Each structure stands twice: as C-alpha cells, then as structure tokens.
Amino acid sequence: MSNRELFNEACRYIPGGVNSPVRAFKSVDGIPVFAKKGNGSHLIDEEEKEYIDYICSWGPLILGHGHPIIKKAIIEASEYGTSFGLPTHLEVEMAKLVVESYPGIDQVRMVNSGTEATMSALRVARGYTNRNKIIKFEGNYHGHSDGLLVKAGSGALTFNMPTSPGIPEEIISQTLVCTYNDLASVEQCIAEYPQDIAAIILEPIAANMGIVPANAEFLKGLRELCNQHQIVLIFDEVITGFRVSYHSCPEYLGIIPDMVCFGKIIGGGLPVGAYGGRKEIMEMVSPSGPVYQAGTLSGNPLAMRVGLAQLTYLKDHPEVYEHLENSARYLENGIQKILNKLNLPYQLHRQKSLLTLFFTSQPIQGYADVQTCDTKMYALFFKEMLSQGILIAPSQFEAWFLSDAHTQQDLDKTLDAVYSALVKCHDSLSD
Ligand code: PLP
C-alpha cells in the first residue's frame, strides 16, 4: 500500500491516523512517511523510497538503525525471556551504569517512558519537600502528564495547543510557568510563593521548541536559587542524556541537578525511561520510602538488555561522540555557508548532534522568539528536502538528530539538498 492508502486506512482506526501527533505531518501539510525498514542512517518507507533519516526515532537511535549490538541484545532477550515481573541482574547493571555516568546521582528507578520519568520525579520531589507547586518553562516539553502539559513544546507547540483541554484547573494551578533564559521570571515566581515550590524542572538544552540552549548565567542562577530555597532542581535529559556527552549535561554545561530524567537513548530504541537523584531524595521512593511509584514492565529485560548494550557501547567507544561532533559541525558549517550565500537571515542552532534551522531572522532565546518563525516556509522546505530523499523533522519546533551511522556522503547529499530546497522554496514564494 502507498503511504496515502495506509494513512487513509489508519485514520479509520486510530485518532488522526497516528499514535503520536507529530507523526501525522500535519504542520507541514503532508502525508506521513510509513516506515518499513531502517538501515544505518537510512530509512525505507512502504513505497520503497529511501531517505537519509534525521528523525532517528526522535533521539534513541544514536548508533543508527539496526546496529549489530542492538540486534544481538534483542536476540539474547528473546532467548532468556522478555518479562518476569521479578528483578534481574540486568536492572542492577543498568542502574550502576547510569549512576556512575551521571555526576551527583546516587540512585535511579527505571520506568517505561520519558513521560513517566518526569511525572514520577515530580511526585518524589513533592514528597521530599512536602510542597505542591512546581516551576516549568514555556516551550519545554516533559511528556504528556497533566501537570506538565502547560505551555508545552513539541507536538503541543506544533499544533498550537501548548495547554491541553482535559486537565483540571486545580492541577494547572500547581504548575507555575516561567520564561526560559529569564532568571528574573523565576525570582519573581519564588518571591510570590517562597514556601510552596517543590521543584524546578527544565530541559537544560531545550529541544522541543527547536534547539534552544539555556545560557550559562541562567543555569547557574537556577542552581543558586534552588540551593537558597530548598527547591529540587530537575534536569529533563530525555533527549540530551548520553547524547551531548556520555556524562550528559553536567559535563557539557557544568551544572549538577538534584534529580535527572532519562528516556530515549538509554533504551536503545525500546520503550524506556528513568529518573534518578541524590540518595536522600530517592529514598523517598517506595518501598524505601512512602512515595508510591510502580510498573509491571519497569526495568523489563528486553529494554534493559538493549539499553545496556547501547550505553556500554557508548562508554567503550568515546570516538562515537567525536564522530557525532565532527558530523554535526560539518553540517552546521555547510548550512551556514549556504545561508550566507543565499543571503538568508535564518537562525541556525546546534548543540552537539542536535540541530535546528529556524526560519526567522529573530535571534532565539525562548518561546516568544520561536513564535516568529515562518512555519509555512518551513513546510515548503520540509517537502523539498523529502522529495530529495532527506527526512527531517516534520515540524519547525523539533530537532534534527544525527547518529553515528551518518556518513560523509550522507552529509554532502544533505547539504546539496538544503541548497536546492532553500533556492526552490524562495523562488516558489516569489512567483
Ligand atoms: N522529556 C523530553 C525532553 C522529551 O523530549 C520527551 C519526548 O520527546 C519526553 C520528556 C517524553 O518522553 P516520552 O515520549 O518517552 O514519554
């Protein structure tokens, strides 16, 4: 069946035809690419068209599709068993690896998604501080749990519904929303509720309104404010964890949070999440402490084997990070040269192997700035890229993800496509 036929059929049985909104390609006015097979940096769709893939499952596939160590781990899991509902040695190894990789973290609990990780971390922070309110930032996305779906990024921002109906006012009232990269907005909020704020949660590099890094003074200021007011600082590293470095954001940005949330890379492409923190905080979690959190498939041996295989590979092969950095820098420099040549004032942001080309001349610091992007132009650009065999995010407000499998040939083909796509979409607009 063609992508269009599959989508028509899907729309009959699945809301909007997809199991996660951004896959609908709605904001680029397109038809979803139905993936059939992945191979290294390439993806083949149901129409047998082949693409260089910069979605990479939205981050987990840092080694590309179908890496031999991942395949091996899946086969092993199928031989030993995929779920027992009992602890396994794999969970112990995974916890040890994660704890040893992340500065300041003593314990970690595995869950099944990033959404579950952030939701649970907040519950623990609330239990630990005995306070109810939390601070999040406009345009940061932390999954779809009720209290965090307020002024959110990612699909919520793409579809212009940053706050969802269906969430009771009482829940929203516990979420205070501040402005990313604006410390004064946080100080003001704390001054208003000095005894009530349990946690500040943020993406230390925002990746769900396009790539927007937190600046150094902002992060340092947050750390100081949290120390001063006994607020738990939570880094949501669902995207950045094990991507920006093997030691994640503390190593890259120099700030250590009290708690951290993971997902994506630590599962190697299987459903996973995790949250961790200092011992005295994590000991609040049941059965050590009174804060309840559980899961039938939490730490299941399939996800653990695959995640462990990927993390161990990353630990043993630091050259992966070097390759990612070189590839991403090459792409960044190439795109910037094209922008200069075509005299286009667009903003190009790169943080390690994450990249966004913002279709605006406005320098980007946060949510208000990304709103100035020309999303119609992005949609045209996306379609031109797709027609040339390059699959980038079907939304202006997401990142391009590089993997270790992307080759020099892929990068050069991508740059050729960027050049002709930009020329074409500007020509077609001026027609
Ligand atoms: N936090 C961040 C930073 C994310 O990017 C995402 C998803 O993309 C989540 C949390 C939610 O993770 P999941 O989709 O696994 O529930």
Side-chain angles (χ1 to χ4, degrees):
M1 273 204 259
S2 68
N3 288 325
R4 184 174 290 278
E5 285 164 339
L6 272 167
F7 189 49
N8 289 343
E9 183 92 334
C11 285
R12 289 180 61 191
Y13 302 109
I14 306 173
V18 288
N19 283 311
S20 198
V22 78
R23 294 179 204 168
F25 286 34
K26 212 170 170 179
S27 75
V28 289
D29 193 24
I31 293 290
V33 167
F34 277 75
K36 181 175 180 187
K37 190 174 181 347
N39 183 15
S41 58
H42 286 220
L43 183 145
I44 296 146
D45 74 4
E46 287 287 346
E47 297 174 3
E48 298 294 339
K49 281 193 209 125
E50 190 160 343
Y51 307 91
I52 300 170
D53 182 14
Y54 289 100
I55 294 179
C56 286
S57 183
W58 302 103
L61 306 185
I62 193 165
L63 301 178
H65 296 274
H67 193 284
I69 58 141
I70 302 287
K71 288 186 187 166
K72 184 166 167 266
I74 292 172
I75 291 167
E76 268 169 20
S78 72
E79 282 164 0
Y80 280 86
T82 58
S83 182
F84 301 115
L86 292 169
T88 66
H89 73 94
L90 301 161
E91 291 160 85
V92 186
E93 281 173 45
M94 174 62 105
K96 189 166 176 229
L97 206 72
V98 171
V99 163
E100 286 180 352
S101 79
Y102 203 93
I105 296 306
D106 302 311
Q107 292 192 340
V108 68
R109 173 58 73 80
M110 301 305 302
V111 291
N112 294 303
S113 67
T115 295
E116 242 188 286
T118 55
M119 178 186 78
S120 310
L122 286 176
R123 184 181 306 145
V124 174
R126 284 175 162 135
Y128 176 70
T129 56
N130 211 11
R131 298 170 176 177
N132 282 337
K133 293 197 187 300
I134 56 138
I135 290 180
K136 82 172 282 287
F137 294 93
E138 268 184 328
N140 279 203
Y141 178 69
H142 305 291
H144 64 89
S145 69
D146 284 355
L148 286 169
L149 213 48
V150 182
K151 295 256 173 101
S154 192
L157 180 57
T158 301
F159 295 111
N160 206 17
M161 305 185 302
T163 306
S164 171
I167 302 176
E169 194 50 49
E170 296 75 23
I171 291 179
I172 289 181
S173 69
Q174 301 303 319
T175 304
L176 308 168
V177 181
C178 291
T179 307
Y180 200 64
N181 277 327
D182 177 0
L183 199 59
S185 75
V186 183
E187 286 165 343
Q188 209 178 328
C189 207
I190 296 176
E192 207 170 323
Y193 300 99
Q195 296 303 321
D196 299 327
I197 299 166
I200 296 180
I201 185 167
L202 82 157
E203 297 181 69
I205 297 166
N208 285 291
M209 49 179 160
I211 294 300
V212 186
N215 66 50
E217 303 87 84
F218 176 64
L219 274 186
K220 190 163 163 273
L222 288 181
R223 184 59 280 179
E224 284 165 6
L225 282 172
C226 286
N227 291 348
Q228 223 175 319
H229 297 274
Q230 289 84 49
I231 296 170
V232 177
L233 181 63
I234 306 176
F235 277 4
D236 179 348
E237 297 227 40
V238 166
I239 284 184
T240 50
F242 293 91
R243 177 168 283 278
V244 295
S245 128
Y246 181 74
H247 302 286
S248 307
C249 280
E251 180 174 74
Y252 181 47
L253 302 173
I255 299 288
I256 298 176
D258 303 303
M259 296 187 79
V260 58
C261 300
F262 295 107
K264 305 203 189 246
I265 286 179
I266 67 164
L270 274 96
V272 93
Y275 64 97
R278 290 203 317 273
K279 193 162 184 235
E280 73 266 25
I281 300 176
M282 291 305 285
E283 282 193 333
M284 293 300 294
V285 182
S286 180
S288 291
V291 176
Y292 196 71
Q293 183 272 310
T296 302
L297 291 174
S298 293
N300 71 78
L302 177 57
M304 292 304 96
R305 267 185 205 278
V306 174
L308 260 176
Q310 178 147 284
L311 294 189
T312 307
Y313 187 89
L314 291 174
K315 186 178 174 194
D316 295 344
H317 295 270
E319 72 277 9
V320 167
Y321 290 102
E322 210 175 309
H323 181 226
L324 284 168
E325 172 66 15
N326 290 340
S327 303
R329 194 187 311 118
Y330 185 83
L331 207 54
E332 178 190 27
N333 289 343
I335 296 175
Q336 192 57 57
K337 271 190 204 145
I338 293 169
L339 294 176
N340 296 347
K341 186 168 175 190
L342 297 176
N343 211 9
L344 295 170
Y346 299 151
Q347 307 292 307
L348 182 62
H349 279 199
R350 175 178 78 87
Q351 290 287 302
K352 296 289 179 178
S353 54
L354 301 163
L355 184 136
T356 301
L357 175 58
F358 292 101
F359 282 69
T360 178
S361 57
Q362 168 83 25
I364 305 266
Q365 286 266 315
Y367 185 79
D369 304 318
V370 303
Q371 303 285 328
T372 64
C373 288
D374 184 344
T375 51
K376 287 207 172 73
M377 182 67 90
Y378 184 85
L380 278 178
F381 177 71
F382 169 85
K383 281 185 184 160
E384 283 299 335
M385 292 292 278
L386 196 69
S387 74
Q388 294 181 64
I390 316 288
L391 180 60
I392 57 170
S395 159
Q396 168 71 93
F397 306 119
E398 306 278 1
W400 302 18
F401 293 88
L402 270 94
S403 80
D404 193 41
H406 285 88
T407 62
Q408 187 60 40
Q409 206 184 355
D410 291 332
L411 302 177
D412 286 328
K413 189 171 174 210
T414 305
L415 288 175
D416 288 347
V418 168
Y419 181 80
S420 61
L422 283 174
V423 168
K424 269 198 193 155
C425 47
H426 285 85
D427 280 355
S428 75
L429 277 198
S430 55
D431 282 348

